[in-house]
Amino acid sequence: LAKTTQPISMDSYEGQEVNITCSHNNIATNDYITWYQQFPSQGPRFIIQGYKTKVTNEVASLFIPADRKSSTLSLPRVSLSDTAVYYCLVGERYSSASKIIFGSGTRLSIRP
Amino acid sequence: NAGVTQTPKFQVLKTGQSMTLQCAQDMNHEYMSWYRQDPGMGLRLIHYSVGAGITDQGEVPNGYNVSRSTTEDFPLRLLSAAPSQTSVYFCASRSPGGRLGEETQYFGPGTRLLVL
């Protein structure tokens, strides 16, 4: 299983762009990279998933370099409601039974 | 479509008591899992199942049992509760997807367990 490393915490201000980088040096060829968001007292919620290059949806962008040993979640113009814990996961595709392991995540605090 | 549901929402147990945390999903997902989350910490995988009749251990399986008799239900049993099992328990089911952006987990609202 590929282990991920993220910053423990980050602070930013409303309206700023926030980039959270995740390191996954031993990512396997078949692994997707998935990011989840968790608000206090709630279960994690899927944000975005990628394999290589860049993926963008209505919530965030995910940048993955060619070697795929890291990935960066980009949140444009954050608001107070983006205060949450963000988890980066790598794992095998569904075609193989696999354990889906969460790391410690990055605690993002947005200030007015 | 209720997604993933968990009962109870909150439970207090005494040391040594047993109980079952219920989890159900109505999305016909084969893959289901249980995590625990201690205060200020990340999620740790307890057990998971890739389909009815098939279960496997996660990172922290000791003190917990699971079974999967149907696709919909995946109960978690605490055999003899200990204070160290005080935590929030999340159940999740995984979309088979098959395509990028679709292989994701859906989480229930959690069960808060306090063991005295």
Side-chain angles (χ1 to χ4, degrees):
Chain A
L1 296 170
K3 178 179 171 59
T4 61
T5 303
Q6 307 173 229
I8 295 175
S9 63
M10 295 180 66
D11 295 324
S12 189
Y13 293 91
E14 281 191 298
Q16 298 295 307
E17 178 184 76
V18 172
N19 297 310
I20 305 174
T21 297
C22 178
S23 172
H24 28 80
N25 290 320
N26 58 340
I27 188 170
T29 302
N30 287 337
D31 284 342
Y32 284 162
I33 300 161
T34 309
W35 285 79
Y36 287 84
Q37 175 190 56
Q38 185 181 26
F39 296 116
S41 302
Q42 296 184 22
R45 181 183 72 164
F46 170 82
I47 301 176
I48 197 166
Q49 185 175 72
Y51 182 73
K52 60 181 178 180
T53 65
K54 175 184 175 181
V55 179
T56 297
N57 61 23
E58 64 278 5
V59 176
S61 293
L62 179 59
F63 298 91
I64 304 170
D67 66 6
R68 303 201 326 123
K69 294 184 182 298
S70 66
S71 59
T72 298
L73 174 72
S74 181
L75 304 173
R77 294 187 298 281
V78 294
S79 65
L80 295 176
S81 64
D82 292 313
T83 294
V85 179
Y86 293 82
Y87 296 94
C88 163
L89 282 72
V90 297
E92 295 177 20
R93 296 181 186 177
Y94 191 87
S95 57
S96 301
S98 62
K99 301 178 183 181
I100 304 174
I101 305 296
F102 280 74
S104 300
T106 297
R107 189 173 299 275
L108 177 63
S109 298
I110 306 300
R111 302 176 181 178
Chain B
N1 189 334
V4 179
T5 58
Q6 293 184 236
T7 57
K9 292 183 179 179
F10 183 71
Q11 183 71 46
V12 179
L13 291 178
K14 295 180 179 179
T15 297
Q17 288 185 314
S18 63
M19 79 160 294
T20 299
L21 280 62
Q22 301 292 343
C23 175
Q25 51 92 10
D26 61 359
M27 297 173 283
N28 202 33
H29 290 167
E30 294 291 336
Y31 186 106
M32 296 185 73
S33 55
W34 276 102
Y35 293 88
R36 61 175 287 176
Q37 185 172 37
D38 299 335
M41 306 293 287
L43 286 81
R44 291 185 291 172
L45 181 65
I46 305 172
H47 286 285
Y48 68 102
S49 169
V50 299
I54 306 171
T55 63
D56 204 348
Q57 297 181 348
E59 303 172 273
V60 289
N62 291 340
Y64 307 95
N65 274 357
V66 292
S67 60
R68 185 91 179 273
S69 57
T70 68
T71 298
E72 294 78 19
D73 301 299
F74 190 40
L76 178 71
R77 298 183 187 85
L78 279 69
L79 309 174
S80 178
S84 60
Q85 293 179 304
T86 293
S87 190
V88 180
Y89 291 83
F90 290 103
C91 177
S93 72
R94 185 179 181 188
S95 168
R99 295 193 302 177
L100 185 64
E102 296 182 355
E103 295 197 5
T104 69
Q105 291 199 98
Y106 296 84
F107 284 82
T111 293
R112 295 181 178 277
L113 177 67
L114 174 62
V115 183
L116 302 175

